[in-house]
Amino acid sequence: MAVNRSSAVRTDLPFLSRRVKPRAAAPAAPPAAAAPRTPPAPAAAPRTSTPHASTPAARPATPATPAPAPGSLSLSPPPRQQPAPSVSPSLSLGLSPNAEAASSRAAAPAAPRPTSSSRTSEPVRAEPLHNRLFPAPGMGELRSLDRQNPVLRLTPMESAVGSLVVAGTVRAVWEGPGYSTGSISAGEFRPEDLDGVQVQAPGNRPLVGYEDDLALVPLRHVRMLRRALFFAKPKQPMSVGVYNGKSVTIPAQAGHRSYYALSVIRIDDVLELRAEELPYGMEFKAIWEAFGFTMTTRLPYQGR
């Protein structure tokens, strides 16, 4: 780094004081006649620090303007004091103001950039949908589903363990994955009794099927089921049971000319049971079409 050996006084930084490294000693000159020294004029100069006696050299003062001789007119204006620039205090290295500003910017620490981890917040776990549903009684709180209490909701455990057993039905309708729809009558399975398509769950079990006169829904694969509809035998009640022994009954008659059908709807991870009142005399096809079931068309098998 170059050493500043200039003896010029910097007036742009009046609040700093520095010492100039002395030059090599010059050969002694013959003594000359002492010239009369004129007292310096009281001119405004930058504030300088008083040199210590032990220092080899101190910052030279601003050259004073010689006082005019008595009886003569002074034409030179008094020196003006330059205002200090509004810069932050820093150590001068003898560079130009532009170079000093560039070096100050380079030496300033860079502001840390926000990382992706600080910008990305932790994922918030969504609350299960069945916790946001309206309150409904559970299995064991009601003895029957009727006009006064038409809705019952199972717990997540009751909706996932064992099988949902529905007794006293004559026909079942279901809607599975991909909106595949089918219907079958109670008793031994016969292809001619099947409307729509049969949905097979893993383990080669039907999503909704019959074992003798009992309709079974394997709850291990309950997420494949969207909804189901069960029709009661004429003038007979239906009953629904789960793995823990709890059950509920659907009466045989809803009124003088109406009866109940059982609707099972899956909402997220829970099953909801509803008693639907229907009039006598309607065909099964007209009933499931009124509930929005449209049977999936089966394509004929073409073998070689």
Side-chain angles (χ1 to χ4, degrees), residues 150-298:
V151 180
L152 183 148
R153 189 175 301 136
L154 304 182
T155 63
M157 180 69 73
E158 294 171 344
S159 303
V161 177
S163 298
L164 185 71
V165 182
V166 185
T169 67
V170 66
R171 196 169 187 90
V173 185
W174 61 84
E175 187 176 81
Y179 301 96
S180 56
T181 309
S183 174
I184 194 173
S185 59
E188 186 178 356
F189 173 75
R190 293 181 300 179
E192 57 269 20
D193 295 336
L194 175 65
D195 292 331
V197 294
Q198 183 96 22
V199 178
Q200 295 291 335
N204 199 22
R205 296 187 61 183
L207 185 61
V208 178
Y210 276 94
E211 186 174 335
D212 296 333
D213 289 341
L214 296 179
L216 302 177
V217 180
L219 298 181
R220 182 178 181 183
H221 314 291
V222 70
R223 278 194 166 271
M224 298 180 61
L225 178 69
R226 297 190 73 250
R227 56 179 179 152
L229 187 65
F230 298 91
F231 299 101
K233 293 180 180 181
K235 298 181 180 181
Q236 290 190 16
M238 290 184 293
S239 62
V240 184
V242 290
Y243 80 99
N244 54 12
K246 297 180 180 180
S247 62
V248 66
T249 302
I250 297 92
Q253 292 183 348
H256 181 63
R257 294 185 178 182
S258 61
Y259 68 102
Y260 289 112
L262 174 64
S263 175
V264 179
I265 304 173
R266 181 181 63 84
I267 305 175
D268 198 15
D269 291 333
V270 299
L271 294 179
E272 192 170 273
L273 311 182
R274 293 176 177 266
E276 307 287 353
E277 187 173 349
L278 302 174
Y280 281 118
M282 290 185 66
E283 296 183 355
F284 291 144
K285 183 178 180 180
I287 294 175
W288 70 56
E289 287 180 352
F291 279 88
F293 289 91
T294 302
M295 293 297 133
T296 304
T297 304
R298 291 181 294 172

